[in-house]
Amino acid sequence: MLIRFDLLGPLVVCREGRPVPLGSVKQRLLLAALLMRPNEVVGTDELAAVLWADESPPSAAANLRTYVRGLRRSLGGGGSWEGISAAAGGYRLRVGPDERDVDRFDAAAARGRDALAAGDAVRAESELATAVAMWRGAALSDLPSHPLLSRRVRQLEERRMVAEEDLAEAMLALGSSAEVVQRLRALLDRHPLRQRAWAQLMLGLYRIGDVAAALDAFRQARQVLAEQTGLDPAPQLTRLHDDILHHRPSLAVQAATGSGGPAPDVAPPEPLGGRPEQLPLAVSGFVGRGAELASLDTLLGREGQRPTTVAVSAVSGMAGVGKTALTLHWAHRVAGHFPDGQLYANLRGYDEADVVSPADALLGFLEALGVPHGRIPASTEARTGLYRSLLASRRMLVVLDNARDSAQVRPLLPGAGRCVVVVTSRDQLSGLVAAECAVPLTLDVLTPEESMSLLASRLGANRLGAEPAAAAGIIAATGRLPLALSMAAARIATHPSFPLDAFAAELQAAEARLDVLANGDARRVFSWSYLALSPDSARLFRLLGLHPGPDLTADTAAALAGVPVPAVVPALRELTRLHLLTEHVPGRYAFHDLLRGYAAELAGSSEHAEEQVATRHRLYDHYLHNAYPAALLLQPQWAPIDPVPPLPTYAGRPATDHDTALGWFTAEQHVLLRLVVQAAETGFEAYAWQLAWTLNTFLAPRGLWQEQLAAQQAALAAAEKIDDIAGQAATNRLLARAFTRLGQHDTAEDRLKRALELHERLGDPTGQAQTLHNYCELCYLGGRLDEALAHGREALRLYRLVGNGAGEARTLNAIGWLHASTGDYAQAIASCTEALARQQRSGDRNGQAATLDSLGFAYHRLGEHGRALGCYEEAIQLFRDSADRYHEAETLLRLGDTREALADLPGAAAAWRRAAQIFDELGDPAAEEARHRLDHTG
């Protein structure tokens, strides 16, 4: 079993490549304390001090054993992991070679230092970069601080700083001065007393030609040292300052040894008027994007493969995702590969200002290449020809930023030679990819870790560490979009005394996020893409803003627009091509949250107000009349409702079989949960409660009771608002079922009484019978068996009165279960056998599963374990076939009991383990009962 322990950041454990849930904070602290001293006995006193500081409870020893047992289960994937062993006076955690990221970091850093000592800067840079990249933030940053842990964390941080300084030394030796400057500024922001880092920063600034900044860095270092330590700079730093003042030759980069890797930067820079160096300043505090930078690095290797072919990369993504930041960061990092310089043009493809024409861009390039203005041709074609002639024998980097489309870019591409071109655009530039063999690189939003690093670079790790939940809330609210994160960070930085919670709360309301980010002009940035759309695509973009998310299909887009599906496909393609939508899985399209908010603003503006109501009506109608037929296919035995009639324009394609219906609900469940709330809030209350009714046919069999509760609460409020008695009756009953399963029995009973009252007012015996059936279950769970039996018998009478065979059979099963619970096994078997026969005749497979479960229960209690086993196994298969996971797990628990009675302990453990897994996936506390059985068997 491959297990990895990662401490260099939040504590993470992975088994076979998958994260392991570690349980409570106390368990995580315990694991951290053991990991800090691997393969050693850590005393119980020390462990107790880490867990409880100076306030250990009397039960500390027992609690410690419980936490150890919990860790063993977590790390063993359900079994007991043997890597934690008890020893005299404490516990030992066995860690193998390379299982801790700390050990892998130390090994890589040591190899890097050895390479530095041997003069092999290329290998040193590779090893040290690997070591530094293992850090995901401050060590154990997700755990509460404790003196014993903090001391060891500080030791780790010291090793990290030394490795970062060693890496800087290797990069300086390779001539990567520009990147060194950025890295060292970030390091000195965290640790301003590192004199070695100050010296490296001064040298890096000098080598990129910024002598004034190098001298200013010395002044900053001297001031910080005086203020915080009362000391002067070390002699080495003072000598370096003097060398810079006198431009001593020893400061120039020396040729690096080793093979492979990037060539050193050219230093010192050529005099002004030599090679063009047009790259703008790179964004400070750049974080992450390791895979994307590696992808761009592959462009550098294409020269040897095809020396006459220009390497082109098309970097695309939505507005604000960081295309320019990535490209400029990479361009500065590899500038030394291009001895003939760099060309840069902002083509302003989506700016409010006029788009830069290829002719104007070529004019700027030719002037930068030294062509006198009078010799620059007038036509675009002639300028392109001259430009390509000049670049044919040069090795240059060309950055074409913010391109509108492929046509704008083509005249600016070199024709042959050893140049590399990077184009950024909101357009996917598929034409460039197809015709010019450009390498596509699509940027997504940052990862959660990268997002945290970005905020830390702007706000400081300490501030984030003090309020990790608020920091996570800010990241979630901005959707991890770099533009939005930077705007939020800028706003927060201006209020250093304000708690992060205040900003997180401010960003919580989706409709307010664009207002909070107004100072960064998020609306203006998004508007450039919107204004570039064709009229049909612009209309669809607005209307999609009325959809609650998280994603939708082409059918839904067509319903929103009120057009056939073929008519909406071109607009969807345009929105996807321009990264205003993402087709994140085939056939399903998603907005970034901020873009959805912007689209909703446009749709809600006064000029589109009338269209908004009609669009919402089409949206809810589309979902209801797809969901209702699917619900009847999932639960054909359930009594139907009378849905709102479909609009004349409805052109949906509802499911026609069980599997298709199940697939539809699986894909749309998260949309439907949001849609119920949105319909209730926007004046479509009947749609709200009826959508919630359909959703119940999918949620209840899966035991998704919290989701069921939320949907039915919104549905009940909607039905009460319009005084819809049938809606109130149905939602009260469904709410009661959720409350029952969630253990809130008193509230459930109130809802059941209200549902009975409403069904009686309606003269609806089927609704009464359904409610009494649920009442029967509630009374059974409360130990009121006689009352439960009375409700079951009354439900049976009502079902027979109206001729509802499916309801009659299911109630016979419920009555049989109650008889078995009271010890009347003969009557239980008779009642359930009659129910099963009816269900087999009607084809009610889910009902058969429930009845077979009841028969298994009765046979088990009679001691007929073989017959019980057969019933349970058949029930489990039927539950599995109908995707009824909750009841499958319940029957697995009872199957395990029967196997245990047959002395089949491995079989019992397998059943309980599977039950625990399903309950865990459903978030149901019954998982603890399954684990309790497992613990009992050892």
Side-chain angles (χ1 to χ4, degrees):
M1 177 179 69
L2 180 63
I3 194 163
R4 289 287 181 90
F5 301 99
D6 292 343
L7 296 84
L8 304 181
L11 178 60
V12 175
V13 178
C14 292
R15 185 180 59 250
E16 305 295 347
R18 296 186 176 182
V20 175
L22 296 174
S24 67
V25 173
K26 288 284 194 290
Q27 279 191 187
R28 296 168 69 84
L29 279 169
L30 171 62
L31 178 59
L34 293 170
L35 281 169
M36 282 297 195
R37 293 176 55 189
N39 304 313
E40 297 180 28
V41 175
V42 184
T44 54
D45 290 344
E46 180 177 334
L47 294 173
V50 170
L51 267 58
W52 292 286
D54 296 326
E55 299 178 1
S56 296
S59 59
N63 291 350
L64 190 56
R65 288 193 294 273
T66 300
Y67 295 137
V68 169
R69 194 159 54 246
L71 274 180
R72 285 171 174 160
R73 279 201 303 270
S74 296
L75 297 172
S80 183
W81 187 62
E82 299 304 322
I84 301 177
S85 57
Y91 292 91
R92 178 192 291 111
L93 174 67
R94 187 179 68 251
V95 176
D98 292 336
E99 287 185 349
R100 290 195 318 164
D101 60 352
V102 174
D103 300 321
R104 299 193 298 276
F105 162 76
D106 285 338
R111 291 193 298 269
R113 279 191 289 275
D114 289 344
L116 266 182
D120 188 349
V122 173
R123 187 164 67 88
E125 191 270 346
S126 174
E127 294 287 2
L128 290 162
T130 298
V132 169
M134 293 181 194
W135 286 79
R136 298 167 288 111
L140 302 178
S141 58
D142 59 332
L143 294 180
S145 177
H146 184 278
L148 288 173
L149 284 182
S150 296
R151 185 175 67 252
R152 294 190 172 93
V153 166
R154 286 194 298 272
Q155 293 168 354
L156 286 176
E157 182 65 19
E158 175 64 27
R159 279 140 65 184
R160 176 188 186 181
M161 288 186 288
V162 170
E164 291 196 16
E165 290 168 349
D166 288 340
L167 174 59
E169 183 174 333
M171 293 170 70
L172 284 168
L174 289 170
S176 301
S177 303
E179 188 181 358
V180 165
V181 167
Q182 294 181 17
R183 298 185 70 98
L184 289 169
R185 287 201 190 281
L187 172 61
L188 287 165
D189 282 345
R190 303 195 315 267
H191 303 286
L193 300 180
R194 306 290 297 187
Q195 295 200 51
R196 183 186 180 198
W198 280 112
Q200 291 169 332
L201 175 63
M202 291 164 61
L203 185 57
L205 288 167
Y206 178 80
R207 286 181 178 172
I208 64 173
D210 197 345
V211 177
L215 296 172
D216 187 58
F218 177 77
R219 287 192 290 272
Q220 291 178 51
R222 184 170 56 193
Q223 181 179 349
V224 167
L225 288 165
E227 289 176 351
Q228 297 192 25
T229 69
L231 300 174
D232 291 327
Q236 298 93 324
L237 204 58
T238 305
R239 279 197 301 271
L240 176 60
H241 176 246
D242 187 66
D243 289 344
I244 291 172
L245 283 171
H246 293 90
H247 297 278
R248 292 197 171 96
S250 60
L251 298 177
V253 67
Q254 303 298 314
T257 63
S259 59
D265 292 342
V266 175
E270 294 181 9
L272 206 59
R275 66 174 190 163
E277 295 183 346
Q278 293 189 323
L279 290 178
L281 185 69
V283 175
S284 63
F286 183 87
V287 298
R289 301 294 196 194
E292 291 84 356
L293 289 168
S295 176
L296 289 171
D297 282 342
T298 62
L299 298 173
L300 304 177
R302 295 178 69 185
E303 175 193 1
Q305 300 168 16
R306 294 183 289 176
T308 61
T309 303
V310 175
V312 182
S313 177
V315 180
S316 64
M318 67 176 288
V321 81
K323 302 178 291 294
T324 298
L326 168 74
T327 300
L328 291 180
H329 177 78
W330 178 80
H332 280 285
R333 193 178 76 167
V334 300
H337 279 261
F338 303 97
D340 297 311
Q342 321 99 32
L343 296 171
Y344 171 86
N346 180 1
L347 301 179
R348 298 204 299 268
Y350 296 90
D351 285 9
E352 291 171 324
D354 292 338
V355 175
V356 174
S357 68
D360 287 344
L362 286 165
L363 175 64
F365 285 168
L366 292 170
E367 288 177 338
L369 290 166
V371 180
H373 195 274
R375 294 182 56 190
I376 295 176
S379 71
T380 302
E381 292 77 9
R383 289 180 181 181
T384 298
L386 177 58
Y387 166 70
R388 287 174 176 168
S389 298
L390 291 171
L391 265 59
S393 61
R394 304 190 190 203
R395 178 143 176 81
M396 300 189 73
L397 173 62
V398 181
V399 176
L400 304 175
D401 197 14
N402 201 15
R404 186 180 187 89
D405 51 33
S406 299
Q408 188 187 20
V409 169
R410 281 198 179 96
L412 308 178
L413 297 179
R418 299 176 298 141
C419 293
V420 171
V421 181
V422 182
V423 188
T424 74
S425 178
R426 300 177 194 181
D427 190 291
Q428 290 178 338
L429 301 176
S430 51
L432 211 62
V433 173
E436 279 76 24
C437 297
V439 179
L441 176 58
T442 302
L443 286 195
D444 200 351
V445 295
L446 298 174
T447 66
E449 295 77 16
E450 290 171 338
S451 302
M452 193 67 78
S453 296
L454 188 150
L455 286 183
S457 71
R458 310 293 175 86
L459 304 175
N462 289 340
R463 192 170 181 188
L464 299 186
E467 296 183 74
I474 291 166
I475 289 169
T478 56
R480 309 200 306 273
L481 184 69
L483 171 68
L485 278 165
S486 298
M487 291 178 186
R491 177 172 168 75
I492 295 167
T494 60
H495 299 284
S497 63
F498 285 20
L500 293 185
D501 267 341
F503 297 102
E506 196 175 36
L507 287 164
Q508 281 308 303
E511 63 275 9
R513 287 174 193 163
L514 287 170
D515 291 330
V516 174
L517 303 176
N519 288 342
D521 237 350
R523 286 185 182 87
R524 183 169 64 89
V525 174
F526 293 153
S527 73
W528 298 338
S529 295
Y530 171 69
L531 293 172
L533 294 171
S534 64
D536 286 347
S537 297
R539 175 176 181 264
L540 181 62
F541 177 78
R542 293 193 306 272
L543 299 183
L544 292 178
L546 301 177
H547 188 277
D551 59 5
L552 51 82
T553 62
D555 284 1
T556 304
L560 281 161
V563 298
V565 172
V568 86
V569 169
L572 284 172
R573 286 177 179 161
E574 183 176 352
L575 293 172
T576 304
R577 178 171 56 81
L578 294 175
H579 292 283
L580 291 168
L581 276 183
T582 302
E583 190 176 7
H584 65 110
V585 295
R588 297 197 73 85
Y589 300 86
F591 260 137
H592 187 278
D593 286 346
L594 291 176
L595 276 172
R596 179 183 289 109
Y598 177 64
E601 275 191 0
L602 294 173
S605 63
S606 57
E607 60 184 302
H608 303 297
E610 291 184 10
E611 186 179 38
Q612 181 179 171
V613 176
T615 301
R616 290 193 188 280
H617 199 169
R618 290 193 300 270
L619 174 67
Y620 304 140
D621 183 76
H622 165 79
Y623 275 106
L624 177 61
H625 293 289
N626 276 282
Y628 185 68
L632 296 183
L633 286 165
L634 291 189
Q635 303 296 343
Q637 283 74 31
W638 290 13
I641 59 171
D642 294 320
V644 177
L647 292 173
T649 56
Y650 173 69
R653 295 173 291 178
T656 55
D657 59 72
H658 178 277
D659 288 347
T660 306
L662 181 61
W664 187 86
F665 268 113
T666 300
E668 302 291 351
Q669 59 177 309
H670 300 298
V671 176
L672 293 169
L673 285 164
R674 297 183 183 194
L675 210 65
V676 169
V677 175
Q678 188 188 75
E681 292 174 345
T682 53
F684 291 86
E685 290 85 0
Y687 284 98
W689 80 258
Q690 291 180 7
L691 282 165
W693 183 91
T694 68
L695 193 52
N696 167 66
T697 65
F698 176 81
L699 296 177
R702 280 147 197 81
L704 300 173
W705 302 114
Q706 291 289 355
E707 291 85 346
Q708 168 83 322
L709 180 65
Q712 298 304 329
Q713 284 176 325
L716 179 58
E720 289 175 342
K721 185 176 180 181
I722 58 174
D723 199 25
D724 186 327
I725 303 302
Q728 292 177 55
T731 51
N732 268 293
R733 182 178 67 81
L734 297 177
L735 256 182
R737 187 133 192 256
F739 280 128
T740 298
R741 290 297 186 174
L742 292 170
Q744 300 181 42
H745 292 174
D746 290 344
T747 307
E749 188 159 14
D750 291 341
R751 290 295 156 198
L752 286 169
K753 289 177 179 177
R754 178 62 174 156
L756 273 176
E757 175 193 335
L758 293 168
H759 282 302
E760 287 171 4
R761 282 174 57 186
L762 290 167
D764 177 14
T766 299
Q768 290 174 256
Q770 287 178 302
T771 306
L772 287 165
H773 189 122
N774 295 148
Y775 214 155
C776 175
E777 178 186 26
L778 177 67
C779 291
Y780 164 74
L781 292 171
R784 296 147 56 187
L785 299 185
D786 291 342
E787 192 177 345
L789 202 54
H791 289 317
R793 286 170 176 157
E794 177 61 10
L796 184 64
R797 184 188 71 79
L798 290 168
Y799 276 133
R800 285 173 171 166
L801 179 68
V802 296
N804 187 321
E808 179 183 352
R810 291 195 175 204
T811 304
L812 280 168
N813 170 45
I815 290 171
W817 176 272
L818 290 169
H819 282 308
S821 300
T822 59
D824 190 350
Y825 303 119
Q827 186 59 49
I829 291 169
S831 184
C832 290
T833 301
E834 181 183 353
L836 184 62
R838 290 173 179 271
Q839 289 163 337
Q840 288 171 335
R841 286 195 298 271
S842 67
D844 182 0
R845 292 172 64 80
N846 189 265
Q848 291 173 53
T851 303
L852 284 162
D853 176 63
S854 299
L855 283 167
F857 177 68
Y859 286 130
H860 176 88
R861 290 292 186 90
L862 279 171
E864 297 184 33
H865 297 125
R867 298 184 72 175
L869 202 65
C871 291
Y872 283 144
E873 288 178 338
E874 189 177 352
I876 287 166
Q877 188 57 54
L878 287 167
F879 280 135
R880 195 170 290 158
D881 291 345
S882 60
D884 190 338
R885 303 188 72 217
Y886 180 81
H887 290 105
E888 178 190 347
E890 282 196 326
T891 305
L892 280 164
L893 281 178
R894 289 189 273 275
L895 173 65
D897 294 342
T898 299
R899 289 195 179 281
E900 184 183 37
L902 289 168
D904 179 9
L905 296 184
W912 292 331
R913 193 173 296 116
R914 177 61 182 149
Q917 181 183 351
I918 294 174
F919 282 133
D920 276 334
E921 290 169 1
L922 297 176
D924 195 288
E928 286 304 315
E929 179 58 32
R931 279 192 280 272
H932 177 73
R933 283 170 160 86
L934 282 166
D935 289 344
H936 177 68
T937 61

